[in-house]
Amino acid sequence: MFIDITRLQNRSTNEFLYKNTIVLDEALYKNTDIRKLSPVEVSADIKRITDTSYKMSLEIKGEMTLPCSITLNDVIYPFDIKTEVKLSNEDEEDVKIIQNNIDIISIIWQNIVLEIPLRVVSEDANNSPVSGEGWKLIREDESNI
């Protein structure tokens, strides 16, 4: 999905507001810990800085379903990401504008990936067994390491 910024480039306006709910393709998160991703609410405010550079303030809201680190049960993990992105064709570090379009899906996905926690624990994990036949859960304060 692309956002067309022609109106900003033609100077007919200095600011462009974008708001949409986007369903990301499951193929994006197939090889990640994400089991399910809710439709993502996206709000963007794009402002012209110079004739060739722009600033996009972005808010991304949704929920991802991740496996519990202890029980492997589903855990719903909400996220609310606020970020700013510089857009231009001049600097290699900036997000590129290609034929007056910005690929917003790649920006959204990069920010969601950064929000994936290293581990989540479900509320019912406290009821999990702490020992079994041939094994015992050792807490960090109990270990001799």
PDB file of all heavy atoms in Angstrom, residues 44-70:
ATOM      1  N   ALA A  44      -1.207   8.930  10.086  1.00  0.00           N
ATOM      2  CA  ALA A  44       0.036   9.561   9.654  1.00  0.00           C
ATOM      3  C   ALA A  44      -0.219  11.029   9.347  1.00  0.00           C
ATOM      4  O   ALA A  44      -1.254  11.379   8.788  1.00  0.00           O
ATOM      5  CB  ALA A  44       0.604   8.864   8.420  1.00  0.00           C
ATOM      6  N   ASP A  45       0.730  11.841   9.722  1.00  0.00           N
ATOM      7  CA  ASP A  45       0.709  13.270   9.420  1.00  0.00           C
ATOM      8  C   ASP A  45       2.014  13.570   8.694  1.00  0.00           C
ATOM      9  O   ASP A  45       3.090  13.494   9.288  1.00  0.00           O
ATOM     10  CB  ASP A  45       0.589  14.072  10.714  1.00  0.00           C
ATOM     11  CG  ASP A  45       0.530  15.571  10.486  1.00  0.00           C
ATOM     12  OD1 ASP A  45       0.337  15.996   9.328  1.00  0.00           O
ATOM     13  OD2 ASP A  45       0.680  16.329  11.468  1.00  0.00           O
ATOM     14  N   ILE A  46       1.920  13.867   7.400  1.00  0.00           N
ATOM     15  CA  ILE A  46       3.116  14.103   6.589  1.00  0.00           C
ATOM     16  C   ILE A  46       3.208  15.594   6.299  1.00  0.00           C
ATOM     17  O   ILE A  46       2.269  16.200   5.795  1.00  0.00           O
ATOM     18  CB  ILE A  46       3.053  13.316   5.267  1.00  0.00           C
ATOM     19  CG1 ILE A  46       2.798  11.836   5.554  1.00  0.00           C
ATOM     20  CG2 ILE A  46       4.338  13.502   4.466  1.00  0.00           C
ATOM     21  CD1 ILE A  46       2.463  11.020   4.336  1.00  0.00           C
ATOM     22  N   LYS A  47       4.358  16.177   6.642  1.00  0.00           N
ATOM     23  CA  LYS A  47       4.582  17.613   6.428  1.00  0.00           C
ATOM     24  C   LYS A  47       5.811  17.823   5.565  1.00  0.00           C
ATOM     25  O   LYS A  47       6.804  17.115   5.703  1.00  0.00           O
ATOM     26  CB  LYS A  47       4.777  18.325   7.763  1.00  0.00           C
ATOM     27  CG  LYS A  47       3.558  18.294   8.642  1.00  0.00           C
ATOM     28  CD  LYS A  47       3.795  18.996   9.954  1.00  0.00           C
ATOM     29  CE  LYS A  47       2.547  18.927  10.812  1.00  0.00           C
ATOM     30  NZ  LYS A  47       2.747  19.490  12.119  1.00  0.00           N
ATOM     31  N   ARG A  48       5.732  18.806   4.687  1.00  0.00           N
ATOM     32  CA  ARG A  48       6.875  19.147   3.844  1.00  0.00           C
ATOM     33  C   ARG A  48       7.870  19.955   4.673  1.00  0.00           C
ATOM     34  O   ARG A  48       7.512  20.916   5.332  1.00  0.00           O
ATOM     35  CB  ARG A  48       6.431  19.945   2.620  1.00  0.00           C
ATOM     36  CG  ARG A  48       7.598  20.254   1.691  1.00  0.00           C
ATOM     37  CD  ARG A  48       7.244  20.950   0.402  1.00  0.00           C
ATOM     38  NE  ARG A  48       6.484  22.177   0.614  1.00  0.00           N
ATOM     39  CZ  ARG A  48       5.303  22.427   0.078  1.00  0.00           C
ATOM     40  NH1 ARG A  48       4.737  21.530  -0.701  1.00  0.00           N
ATOM     41  NH2 ARG A  48       4.676  23.543   0.303  1.00  0.00           N
ATOM     42  N   ILE A  49       9.133  19.553   4.641  1.00  0.00           N
ATOM     43  CA  ILE A  49      10.209  20.291   5.316  1.00  0.00           C
ATOM     44  C   ILE A  49      10.894  21.191   4.294  1.00  0.00           C
ATOM     45  O   ILE A  49      11.041  22.382   4.505  1.00  0.00           O
ATOM     46  CB  ILE A  49      11.236  19.332   5.955  1.00  0.00           C
ATOM     47  CG1 ILE A  49      10.550  18.456   7.005  1.00  0.00           C
ATOM     48  CG2 ILE A  49      12.380  20.104   6.575  1.00  0.00           C
ATOM     49  CD1 ILE A  49      11.413  17.336   7.537  1.00  0.00           C
ATOM     50  N   THR A  50      11.317  20.577   3.192  1.00  0.00           N
ATOM     51  CA  THR A  50      11.907  21.310   2.077  1.00  0.00           C
ATOM     52  C   THR A  50      11.226  20.804   0.805  1.00  0.00           C
ATOM     53  O   THR A  50      10.308  19.993   0.872  1.00  0.00           O
ATOM     54  CB  THR A  50      13.433  21.080   1.973  1.00  0.00           C
ATOM     55  OG1 THR A  50      13.667  19.722   1.619  1.00  0.00           O
ATOM     56  CG2 THR A  50      14.149  21.413   3.268  1.00  0.00           C
ATOM     57  N   ASP A  51      11.699  21.239  -0.345  1.00  0.00           N
ATOM     58  CA  ASP A  51      11.105  20.781  -1.603  1.00  0.00           C
ATOM     59  C   ASP A  51      11.318  19.290  -1.844  1.00  0.00           C
ATOM     60  O   ASP A  51      10.581  18.674  -2.611  1.00  0.00           O
ATOM     61  CB  ASP A  51      11.677  21.570  -2.779  1.00  0.00           C
ATOM     62  CG  ASP A  51      11.107  22.976  -2.844  1.00  0.00           C
ATOM     63  OD1 ASP A  51      10.048  23.222  -2.224  1.00  0.00           O
ATOM     64  OD2 ASP A  51      11.721  23.824  -3.515  1.00  0.00           O
ATOM     65  N   THR A  52      12.319  18.706  -1.205  1.00  0.00           N
ATOM     66  CA  THR A  52      12.616  17.299  -1.466  1.00  0.00           C
ATOM     67  C   THR A  52      12.587  16.419  -0.212  1.00  0.00           C
ATOM     68  O   THR A  52      12.886  15.235  -0.295  1.00  0.00           O
ATOM     69  CB  THR A  52      13.998  17.169  -2.119  1.00  0.00           C
ATOM     70  OG1 THR A  52      14.971  17.771  -1.260  1.00  0.00           O
ATOM     71  CG2 THR A  52      14.015  17.816  -3.495  1.00  0.00           C
ATOM     72  N   SER A  53      12.266  16.976   0.939  1.00  0.00           N
ATOM     73  CA  SER A  53      12.227  16.156   2.148  1.00  0.00           C
ATOM     74  C   SER A  53      10.951  16.441   2.946  1.00  0.00           C
ATOM     75  O   SER A  53      10.406  17.537   2.920  1.00  0.00           O
ATOM     76  CB  SER A  53      13.466  16.394   3.012  1.00  0.00           C
ATOM     77  OG  SER A  53      13.493  17.699   3.498  1.00  0.00           O
ATOM     78  N   TYR A  54      10.518  15.392   3.651  1.00  0.00           N
ATOM     79  CA  TYR A  54       9.257  15.433   4.381  1.00  0.00           C
ATOM     80  C   TYR A  54       9.436  14.735   5.726  1.00  0.00           C
ATOM     81  O   TYR A  54      10.322  13.907   5.886  1.00  0.00           O
ATOM     82  CB  TYR A  54       8.151  14.722   3.583  1.00  0.00           C
ATOM     83  CG  TYR A  54       8.033  15.252   2.185  1.00  0.00           C
ATOM     84  CD1 TYR A  54       8.827  14.738   1.155  1.00  0.00           C
ATOM     85  CD2 TYR A  54       7.180  16.293   1.891  1.00  0.00           C
ATOM     86  CE1 TYR A  54       8.749  15.244  -0.118  1.00  0.00           C
ATOM     87  CE2 TYR A  54       7.097  16.812   0.609  1.00  0.00           C
ATOM     88  CZ  TYR A  54       7.888  16.279  -0.390  1.00  0.00           C
ATOM     89  OH  TYR A  54       7.815  16.794  -1.652  1.00  0.00           O
ATOM     90  N   LYS A  55       8.563  15.068   6.663  1.00  0.00           N
ATOM     91  CA  LYS A  55       8.574  14.418   7.969  1.00  0.00           C
ATOM     92  C   LYS A  55       7.212  13.768   8.169  1.00  0.00           C
ATOM     93  O   LYS A  55       6.176  14.407   7.990  1.00  0.00           O
ATOM     94  CB  LYS A  55       8.845  15.407   9.084  1.00  0.00           C
ATOM     95  CG  LYS A  55       8.852  14.777  10.466  1.00  0.00           C
ATOM     96  CD  LYS A  55       9.148  15.785  11.536  1.00  0.00           C
ATOM     97  CE  LYS A  55       7.860  16.524  11.868  1.00  0.00           C
ATOM     98  NZ  LYS A  55       7.976  17.370  13.042  1.00  0.00           N
ATOM     99  N   MET A  56       7.216  12.484   8.544  1.00  0.00           N
ATOM    100  CA  MET A  56       5.968  11.779   8.790  1.00  0.00           C
ATOM    101  C   MET A  56       5.895  11.375  10.249  1.00  0.00           C
ATOM    102  O   MET A  56       6.753  10.642  10.744  1.00  0.00           O
ATOM    103  CB  MET A  56       5.863  10.531   7.903  1.00  0.00           C
ATOM    104  CG  MET A  56       4.581   9.766   8.132  1.00  0.00           C
ATOM    105  SD  MET A  56       4.236   8.457   6.920  1.00  0.00           S
ATOM    106  CE  MET A  56       5.640   7.396   7.089  1.00  0.00           C
ATOM    107  N   SER A  57       4.881  11.890  10.957  1.00  0.00           N
ATOM    108  CA  SER A  57       4.582  11.457  12.320  1.00  0.00           C
ATOM    109  C   SER A  57       3.578  10.323  12.184  1.00  0.00           C
ATOM    110  O   SER A  57       2.542  10.483  11.549  1.00  0.00           O
ATOM    111  CB  SER A  57       3.996  12.599  13.137  1.00  0.00           C
ATOM    112  OG  SER A  57       4.913  13.663  13.215  1.00  0.00           O
ATOM    113  N   LEU A  58       3.888   9.205  12.796  1.00  0.00           N
ATOM    114  CA  LEU A  58       3.121   7.988  12.573  1.00  0.00           C
ATOM    115  C   LEU A  58       2.678   7.388  13.903  1.00  0.00           C
ATOM    116  O   LEU A  58       3.459   7.329  14.859  1.00  0.00           O
ATOM    117  CB  LEU A  58       4.012   6.992  11.821  1.00  0.00           C
ATOM    118  CG  LEU A  58       3.435   5.751  11.223  1.00  0.00           C
ATOM    119  CD1 LEU A  58       2.387   6.080  10.173  1.00  0.00           C
ATOM    120  CD2 LEU A  58       4.541   4.926  10.588  1.00  0.00           C
ATOM    121  N   GLU A  59       1.416   6.970  13.967  1.00  0.00           N
ATOM    122  CA  GLU A  59       0.908   6.233  15.121  1.00  0.00           C
ATOM    123  C   GLU A  59       0.307   4.934  14.611  1.00  0.00           C
ATOM    124  O   GLU A  59      -0.513   4.930  13.692  1.00  0.00           O
ATOM    125  CB  GLU A  59      -0.141   7.029  15.881  1.00  0.00           C
ATOM    126  CG  GLU A  59      -0.602   6.317  17.132  1.00  0.00           C
ATOM    127  CD  GLU A  59      -1.527   7.144  18.004  1.00  0.00           C
ATOM    128  OE1 GLU A  59      -1.912   8.253  17.608  1.00  0.00           O
ATOM    129  OE2 GLU A  59      -1.867   6.644  19.090  1.00  0.00           O
ATOM    130  N   ILE A  60       0.741   3.823  15.219  1.00  0.00           N
ATOM    131  CA  ILE A  60       0.332   2.486  14.803  1.00  0.00           C
ATOM    132  C   ILE A  60      -0.224   1.768  16.029  1.00  0.00           C
ATOM    133  O   ILE A  60       0.472   1.630  17.030  1.00  0.00           O
ATOM    134  CB  ILE A  60       1.524   1.695  14.228  1.00  0.00           C
ATOM    135  CG1 ILE A  60       2.227   2.494  13.134  1.00  0.00           C
ATOM    136  CG2 ILE A  60       1.099   0.329  13.739  1.00  0.00           C
ATOM    137  CD1 ILE A  60       3.611   1.982  12.789  1.00  0.00           C
ATOM    138  N   LYS A  61      -1.491   1.313  15.946  1.00  0.00           N
ATOM    139  CA  LYS A  61      -2.126   0.622  17.067  1.00  0.00           C
ATOM    140  C   LYS A  61      -2.646  -0.726  16.606  1.00  0.00           C
ATOM    141  O   LYS A  61      -3.160  -0.856  15.490  1.00  0.00           O
ATOM    142  CB  LYS A  61      -3.312   1.423  17.595  1.00  0.00           C
ATOM    143  CG  LYS A  61      -2.970   2.700  18.274  1.00  0.00           C
ATOM    144  CD  LYS A  61      -4.234   3.370  18.776  1.00  0.00           C
ATOM    145  CE  LYS A  61      -3.941   4.711  19.396  1.00  0.00           C
ATOM    146  NZ  LYS A  61      -5.175   5.339  19.903  1.00  0.00           N
ATOM    147  N   GLY A  62      -2.529  -1.713  17.478  1.00  0.00           N
ATOM    148  CA  GLY A  62      -3.063  -3.028  17.176  1.00  0.00           C
ATOM    149  C   GLY A  62      -2.742  -4.005  18.281  1.00  0.00           C
ATOM    150  O   GLY A  62      -2.303  -3.624  19.369  1.00  0.00           O
ATOM    151  N   GLU A  63      -2.971  -5.284  17.988  1.00  0.00           N
ATOM    152  CA  GLU A  63      -2.662  -6.350  18.929  1.00  0.00           C
ATOM    153  C   GLU A  63      -1.999  -7.494  18.178  1.00  0.00           C
ATOM    154  O   GLU A  63      -2.406  -7.833  17.070  1.00  0.00           O
ATOM    155  CB  GLU A  63      -3.934  -6.888  19.586  1.00  0.00           C
ATOM    156  CG  GLU A  63      -4.614  -5.912  20.496  1.00  0.00           C
ATOM    157  CD  GLU A  63      -5.886  -6.479  21.099  1.00  0.00           C
ATOM    158  OE1 GLU A  63      -6.456  -7.461  20.555  1.00  0.00           O
ATOM    159  OE2 GLU A  63      -6.311  -5.931  22.117  1.00  0.00           O
ATOM    160  N   MET A  64      -0.973  -8.058  18.800  1.00  0.00           N
ATOM    161  CA  MET A  64      -0.342  -9.248  18.243  1.00  0.00           C
ATOM    162  C   MET A  64      -0.512 -10.390  19.234  1.00  0.00           C
ATOM    163  O   MET A  64      -0.539 -10.165  20.444  1.00  0.00           O
ATOM    164  CB  MET A  64       1.132  -9.004  17.905  1.00  0.00           C
ATOM    165  CG  MET A  64       2.013  -8.609  19.048  1.00  0.00           C
ATOM    166  SD  MET A  64       3.746  -8.370  18.552  1.00  0.00           S
ATOM    167  CE  MET A  64       3.768  -6.619  18.237  1.00  0.00           C
ATOM    168  N   THR A  65      -0.680 -11.580  18.715  1.00  0.00           N
ATOM    169  CA  THR A  65      -0.785 -12.769  19.551  1.00  0.00           C
ATOM    170  C   THR A  65       0.546 -13.481  19.498  1.00  0.00           C
ATOM    171  O   THR A  65       1.047 -13.818  18.422  1.00  0.00           O
ATOM    172  CB  THR A  65      -1.915 -13.695  19.051  1.00  0.00           C
ATOM    173  OG1 THR A  65      -3.134 -12.950  19.028  1.00  0.00           O
ATOM    174  CG2 THR A  65      -2.078 -14.889  19.960  1.00  0.00           C
ATOM    175  N   LEU A  66       1.126 -13.688  20.695  1.00  0.00           N
ATOM    176  CA  LEU A  66       2.448 -14.299  20.819  1.00  0.00           C
ATOM    177  C   LEU A  66       2.360 -15.534  21.716  1.00  0.00           C
ATOM    178  O   LEU A  66       1.442 -15.650  22.528  1.00  0.00           O
ATOM    179  CB  LEU A  66       3.423 -13.291  21.448  1.00  0.00           C
ATOM    180  CG  LEU A  66       3.627 -11.984  20.691  1.00  0.00           C
ATOM    181  CD1 LEU A  66       4.326 -10.960  21.575  1.00  0.00           C
ATOM    182  CD2 LEU A  66       4.425 -12.229  19.436  1.00  0.00           C
ATOM    183  N   PRO A  67       3.330 -16.450  21.633  1.00  0.00           N
ATOM    184  CA  PRO A  67       3.324 -17.614  22.523  1.00  0.00           C
ATOM    185  C   PRO A  67       3.882 -17.258  23.902  1.00  0.00           C
ATOM    186  O   PRO A  67       4.863 -16.518  24.013  1.00  0.00           O
ATOM    187  CB  PRO A  67       4.238 -18.608  21.811  1.00  0.00           C
ATOM    188  CG  PRO A  67       5.175 -17.750  21.024  1.00  0.00           C
ATOM    189  CD  PRO A  67       4.385 -16.534  20.624  1.00  0.00           C
ATOM    190  N   CYS A  68       3.237 -17.774  24.942  1.00  0.00           N
ATOM    191  CA  CYS A  68       3.753 -17.604  26.302  1.00  0.00           C
ATOM    192  C   CYS A  68       5.089 -18.331  26.396  1.00  0.00           C
ATOM    193  O   CYS A  68       5.250 -19.447  25.886  1.00  0.00           O
ATOM    194  CB  CYS A  68       2.757 -18.175  27.305  1.00  0.00           C
ATOM    195  SG  CYS A  68       3.373 -18.256  28.997  1.00  0.00           S
ATOM    196  N   SER A  69       6.055 -17.724  27.054  1.00  0.00           N
ATOM    197  CA  SER A  69       7.388 -18.317  27.169  1.00  0.00           C
ATOM    198  C   SER A  69       7.408 -19.554  28.058  1.00  0.00           C
ATOM    199  O   SER A  69       8.321 -20.365  27.965  1.00  0.00           O
ATOM    200  CB  SER A  69       8.368 -17.293  27.730  1.00  0.00           C
ATOM    201  OG  SER A  69       8.509 -16.224  26.844  1.00  0.00           O
ATOM    202  N   ILE A  70       6.391 -19.704  28.915  1.00  0.00           N
ATOM    203  CA  ILE A  70       6.357 -20.852  29.824  1.00  0.00           C
ATOM    204  C   ILE A  70       5.404 -21.923  29.329  1.00  0.00           C
ATOM    205  O   ILE A  70       5.763 -23.096  29.216  1.00  0.00           O
ATOM    206  CB  ILE A  70       5.966 -20.395  31.247  1.00  0.00           C
ATOM    207  CG1 ILE A  70       7.033 -19.437  31.788  1.00  0.00           C
ATOM    208  CG2 ILE A  70       5.802 -21.595  32.174  1.00  0.00           C
ATOM    209  CD1 ILE A  70       6.687 -18.778  33.095  1.00  0.00           C
TER     210      ILE A  70
END
